[in-house]
């Protein structure tokens, strides 16, 4: 029997809307969950997905992908890549798995919301496959690190991180809860798939895969590029939804969701991916600077995706373009200086050679972040370690939940963006974070940042020990310098040489 | 006497920090409390200079002997701690 070509039957087969008679349309698709923007079912039937795949095709392709990634892992399991890896590279893996693995499971439920509640049949089909993708990503990114748990207790955070009140995880949860766990199906498609996945997962999963391959970690490189092939498919769920919204006069609402999600994603990447690319990855294995990756993936590609869609660049684009050369240096300094509060060991990344690279990639680095690092380095060289650690909390933003920071040294521009709302004083790290809050204050107003919790007496005793216990960081899990300060030796030698000279 | 949290934005540093002070503290004492968390950690000391306190964005510093409780600041409000060279 002849089999029809997929394109001869796909559109018809997935046209699964009907006119409900036993219940109302609003009962079948509750607006709160469906987010239909007041549009009836037939408006959403015009949703035309760019990626049409059937279930048997999907299973066949996914099976091959899994076979590829798992066989690389099996082949290299005895290679001792992990044992021999630079400690900075191990920190890359720990930060990545902790911040991402369980978030993938959460993303499966966000995809499931689109699968059940979207009024667009094409979206329901694509997100059925997207949901299976995310389950795969969760499983793989827990299975792959598991072989290292016995060797290194911090690897346990691949599973544990999302259950903790560690400050970075509060930030990650706040963002993902906002864009994918607490939004209607259509908003999820715009904020998670179009904004976050089209824009940013390329950075984490392709940019980082390039660094991983350079560093010789082929298991990790294969794993995350395998994941990215799924992301680049289901990231396309949001585009046709945007088209429907724009055609039906809903551009402003669509644009607002894009602007909020892109900013939150940017902040999260500035703390997670920025330090990884510009400080933790060993110098000889760096493919491009974080800023160069951002310019390639976000500025060049995502800008085009936005304008092709008929959307505008976010109103804050000039601020964003300036920040991609700045914010992550501060996020790195913050997670390094407060290193006992993270579940990986930050690599300082400030040896003379690395500083020369930073100065080349970010002209002026030595006069700004370098000024602060000079003081830190002196303390480490002098063995004055008490001064190389903090004794208080950084103030964090009530939107992104990350430290409020700016450029130090000769270009000092650090600034708070406060807002009083219902008698409470909120603090934000930028004009954009404050703007996001103001779009829907009641959505965010009740949340307590880690500093709010500290001030409310929820962290006891009110010292580092109490804070680490609150963040679920057990002894042996707290971060410290990835290289045990070995990088300071060259500064010590330089100083001795200078004295002798 | 009452504990009072302020947010310190210290000239030359990279991050805002929570600093616990007291409403009875003078502005010089507030500056010293903020300096404890910045100077010698990420900001070099500037011998011969003093530190002044102002509300974020204000042109004028608070008087050095003014008590924190008299400054009309809200808890956790951000103050800038600024180096000042001696006047000759
Ligand atoms: Fe995923
Ligand atoms: Fe995804």
């Amino acid at each position: 029997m002849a089999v029809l070509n997929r394109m001869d039957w796909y559109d018809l087969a997935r046209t699964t809307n009907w006119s409900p008679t036993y219940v109302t349309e609003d009962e079948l698709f509750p607006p709160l969950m469906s987010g239909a923007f007041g549009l009836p079912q037939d408006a959403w039937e015009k949703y035309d997905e760019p990626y049409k795949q059937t279930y048997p095709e999907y299973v066949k392709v996914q099976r091959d992908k899994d076979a590829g990634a798992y066989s690389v892992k099996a082949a290299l399991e005895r290679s001792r890549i992990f044992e021999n890896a630079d400690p900075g590279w191990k920190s890359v893996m720990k930060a990545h798995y902790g911040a991402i693995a369980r978030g993938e499971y959460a993303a499966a439920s966000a995809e499931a919301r689109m699968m059940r509640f979207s009024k667009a049949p094409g979206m329901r089909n694509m997100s059925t496959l997207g949901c299976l993708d995310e389950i795969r990503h969760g499983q793989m990114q827990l299975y792959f690190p598991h072989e290292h748990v016995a060797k290194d207790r911090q690897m346990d955070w691949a599973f544990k991180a999302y259950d903790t009140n560690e400050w970075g995880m509060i930030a990650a949860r706040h963002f993902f809860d906002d864009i994918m766990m607490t939004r209607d199906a259509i908003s999820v498609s715009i904020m998670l798939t179009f904004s976050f996945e089209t824009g940013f997962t390329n950075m984490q999963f392709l940019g980082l895969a390039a660094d991983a391959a350079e560093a010789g970690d082929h298991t990790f490189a294969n794993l995350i590029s395998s994941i990215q092939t799924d992301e680049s498919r289901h990231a396309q769920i949001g585009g046709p939804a945007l088209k429907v919204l724009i055609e039906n006069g809903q551009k402003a609402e669509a644009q607002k969701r894009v602007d909020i999600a892109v900013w939150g994603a940017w902040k999260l990447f500035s703390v997670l991916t920025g330090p990884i690319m510009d400080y933790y990855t060993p110098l000889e294995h760096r493919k491009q600077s974080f800023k160069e990756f951002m310019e390639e993936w976000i500025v060049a590609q995502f800008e085009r995706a936005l304008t092709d869609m008929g959307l505008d660049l976010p109103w804050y684009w000039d601020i964003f373009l300036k920040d991609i050369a700045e914010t992550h240096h501060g996020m790195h300094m913050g997670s390094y200086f407060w290193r006992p509060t993270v579940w990986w060991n930050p690599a300082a990344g400030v040896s003379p050679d690395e500083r020369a690279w930073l100065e080349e990639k970010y002209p002026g680095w030595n006069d700004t972040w370098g000024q602060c690092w000079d003081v830190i380095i002196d303390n480490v060289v002098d063995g004055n370690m008490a001064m190389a650690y903090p004794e208080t909390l950084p103030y964090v933003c009530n939107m992104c939940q990350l430290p409020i920071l700016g450029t130090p040294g000769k270009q000092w521009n650090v600034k708070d963006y406060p807002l009083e709302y219902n008698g409470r004083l909120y603090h934000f790290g930028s004009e954009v974070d404050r703007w996001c809050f103001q779009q829907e204050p009641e959505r965010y107003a009740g949340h307590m940042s880690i500093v709010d919790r500290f001030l409310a007496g929820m962290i006891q005793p009110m010292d580092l020990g109490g804070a680490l216990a609150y963040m679920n960081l057990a002894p042996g899990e707290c971060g410290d310098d990835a290289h045990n300060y070995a990088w300071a030796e060259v500064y010590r030698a330089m100083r001795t040489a200078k004295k002798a000279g | 006497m009452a504990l009072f949290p302020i947010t310190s934005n210290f000239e030359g540093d990279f991050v805002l920090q929570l600093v616990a002070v007291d409403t009875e503290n003078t502005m010089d004492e507030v500056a010293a409390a903020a300096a404890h968390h910045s100077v010698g950690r990420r900001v070099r000391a500037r011998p011969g200079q003093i530190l002044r306190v102002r509300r974020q964005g204000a042109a004028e510093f608070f008087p050095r002997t003014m008590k924190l409780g008299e400054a009309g600041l809200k808890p956790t409000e951000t103050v800038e701690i600024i180096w000042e060279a001696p006047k000759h």
Side-chain angles (χ1 to χ4, degrees):
Chain A
M1 198 173 80
V3 178
L4 283 173
N5 285 326
R6 181 222 304 129
M7 293 317 290
D8 294 334
W9 58 268
Y10 175 94
D11 281 337
L12 178 64
R14 66 94 168 107
T15 302
T16 47
N17 272 7
W18 69 94
S19 306
T21 51
Y22 295 105
V23 294
T24 64
E25 189 172 325
D26 274 2
E27 284 173 305
L28 179 58
F29 292 113
L32 193 67
M33 301 299 276
S34 290
F37 293 78
L39 306 181
Q41 280 193 96
D42 54 2
W44 288 106
E45 279 158 24
K46 300 207 172 62
Y47 175 104
D48 186 24
E49 64 276 34
Y51 206 103
K52 299 185 202 265
Q53 196 172 32
T54 63
Y55 185 70
E57 290 168 329
Y58 174 80
V59 171
K60 184 177 180 308
V61 173
Q62 297 305 101
R63 189 184 176 283
D64 290 346
K65 285 187 199 171
D66 264 6
Y70 281 84
S71 63
V72 172
K73 172 178 156 62
L76 295 177
E77 223 149 65
R78 291 173 197 284
S79 67
R80 303 184 61 80
I81 286 172
F82 182 81
E83 286 78 356
N84 297 327
D86 183 277
W89 185 254
K90 288 183 193 173
S91 300
V92 171
M93 295 174 64
K94 291 169 188 172
H96 171 90
Y97 283 128
I100 304 287
R102 296 268 303 277
E104 303 271 16
Y105 268 124
S109 94
E111 295 276 341
R113 180 155 326 129
M114 296 186 281
M115 186 204 299
R116 162 62 184 85
F117 291 105
S118 175
K119 288 186 179 182
M123 182 185 289
R124 295 202 295 268
N125 192 49
M126 276 194 91
S127 48
T128 302
L129 309 182
C131 179
L132 293 168
D133 289 340
E134 301 298 11
I135 292 171
R136 176 174 107 95
H137 303 169
Q139 289 177 338
M140 288 177 100
Q141 288 174 103
L142 291 177
Y143 179 68
F144 277 54
H146 187 260
E147 70 167 291
H148 305 306
V149 172
K151 306 168 203 161
D152 188 327
R153 195 167 165 175
Q154 289 175 330
M155 290 301 293
D156 193 31
W157 276 65
F159 184 79
K160 177 177 169 179
Y162 270 83
D163 294 324
T164 72
N165 283 317
E166 195 277 339
W167 62 270
M169 290 317 301
I170 293 177
R173 279 201 305 266
H174 189 274
F175 171 66
F176 289 122
D177 283 355
D178 186 20
I179 66 156
M180 70 184 195
M181 304 310 287
T182 59
R183 299 268 183 180
D184 59 80
I186 300 303
S187 298
V188 168
S189 80
I190 298 170
M191 301 179 91
L192 172 64
T193 80
F194 180 78
S195 306
F196 176 71
E197 292 178 337
T198 312
F200 287 85
T201 59
N202 273 324
M203 277 290 294
Q204 183 74 6
F205 288 89
L206 287 183
L208 201 52
D211 283 350
E214 285 288 312
D217 191 345
H218 300 291
T219 304
F220 190 66
N222 268 284
L223 166 69
I224 61 180
S225 31
S226 173
I227 288 171
Q228 185 56 24
T229 59
D230 296 348
E231 294 296 328
S232 57
R233 169 173 33 76
H234 67 237
Q236 299 175 49
I237 291 173
L242 284 167
K243 229 182 237 161
V244 171
L245 288 174
I246 291 168
E247 278 164 13
N248 287 280
Q250 298 285 338
K251 179 178 164 182
E253 282 299 309
Q255 180 83 45
K256 189 162 93 179
R257 281 163 180 71
V258 170
D259 292 0
I260 292 171
V262 167
W263 187 258
W266 150 242
K267 292 301 283 279
L268 197 59
F269 272 67
S270 77
V271 70
L272 176 67
T273 321
I276 280 177
M277 287 184 167
D278 283 356
Y279 294 89
Y280 299 1
T281 299
L283 185 57
E284 63 274 21
H285 301 319
R286 289 180 203 161
K287 279 286 263 194
Q288 285 178 300
S289 71
F290 177 64
K291 175 170 178 271
E292 287 162 346
F293 272 121
M294 287 293 294
E295 279 169 347
E296 181 177 341
W297 293 110
I298 313 292
V299 182
Q301 297 200 20
F302 188 57
E303 254 190 46
R304 204 177 321 125
L306 277 169
T307 45
D308 285 355
M309 201 54 69
L311 288 168
D312 301 325
L313 293 180
W315 63 269
Y316 51 74
W317 211 240
D318 289 343
I319 300 175
F320 170 73
L321 292 179
K322 186 170 163 289
D323 282 4
I324 61 174
E326 297 179 8
T327 307
H328 70 291
H329 297 299
M331 293 295 176
H332 172 57
M333 185 172 287
S335 41
Y336 184 83
F337 206 81
W338 274 265
R339 56 201 173 284
T341 68
V342 295
W343 68 88
W344 63 88
N345 298 324
V350 291
S351 68
D353 286 349
E354 289 165 315
R355 290 181 66 146
W357 182 88
L358 286 161
E359 182 66 37
E360 183 204 319
K361 299 290 184 186
Y362 303 93
W365 187 94
N366 276 309
D367 276 342
T368 50
W369 288 278
Q371 300 255 306
C372 292
W373 278 107
D374 287 341
V375 181
I376 298 171
I377 290 166
D378 278 354
N379 286 329
V380 172
V381 170
D382 291 337
N384 191 10
M385 292 311 288
M387 293 299 277
Y389 286 100
E391 286 182 45
T392 187
L393 301 176
Y395 217 98
V396 304
C397 172
N398 281 113
M399 186 68 207
C400 70
Q401 310 298 320
L402 297 170
I404 298 175
L405 46 78
T407 301
K410 293 179 185 165
Q411 308 283 328
W412 182 62
N413 67 2
V414 184
K415 200 175 158 204
D416 181 23
Y417 294 81
L419 177 74
E420 240 184 288
Y421 179 76
N422 277 351
R424 180 173 155 195
L425 181 60
Y426 293 84
H427 299 271
F428 299 96
S430 70
E431 203 184 323
V432 191
D433 286 287
R434 186 168 60 186
W435 174 85
C436 292
F437 182 93
Q438 287 173 309
Q439 298 317 297
E440 211 179 326
E442 277 311 304
R443 184 177 180 78
Y444 307 107
H447 186 270
M448 290 173 88
S449 73
I450 188 123
V451 175
D452 295 326
R453 297 177 203 192
F454 181 79
L455 291 170
M458 291 163 68
I459 300 174
Q460 295 291 341
M462 293 175 87
D463 56 18
L464 180 66
L468 294 178
Y470 183 77
M471 291 189 270
N472 311 79
L473 278 152
E477 296 178 347
C478 297
D480 201 352
D481 185 281
H483 299 90
N484 200 21
Y485 309 99
W487 52 269
E489 284 311 318
V490 58
Y491 287 105
R492 205 164 280 135
M494 280 160 68
R495 198 187 278 184
T496 316
K498 204 170 170 189
K499 267 190 200 138
Chain B
M1 289 282 291
L3 263 177
F4 197 89
I6 56 152
T7 303
S8 159
N9 187 6
F10 198 97
E11 183 180 0
D13 207 348
F14 82 107
V15 71
L16 301 188
Q17 296 183 102
L18 178 68
V19 176
V21 276
D22 193 287
T23 49
E24 288 297 300
N25 286 145
T26 65
M27 287 300 164
D28 274 3
E29 288 166 338
V30 169
H36 176 78
H37 297 291
S38 291
V39 177
R41 292 182 207 270
R42 295 172 305 269
V43 179
R44 275 210 202 291
R46 296 191 192 177
Q49 296 195 18
I50 59 163
L51 288 164
R52 301 297 303 273
V53 183
R54 69 184 179 206
R55 204 180 235 118
Q56 174 171 288
E60 296 288 309
F61 293 119
F62 291 118
R64 294 178 59 185
T65 52
M66 180 191 241
K67 294 215 168 121
L68 178 66
E70 295 156 7
L73 292 164
K74 299 181 215 55
T76 79
E77 192 168 339
T78 299
V79 292
E80 292 171 339
I81 317 291
I82 304 292
W83 295 101
E84 189 179 60
K87 294 188 183 72
H88 294 288

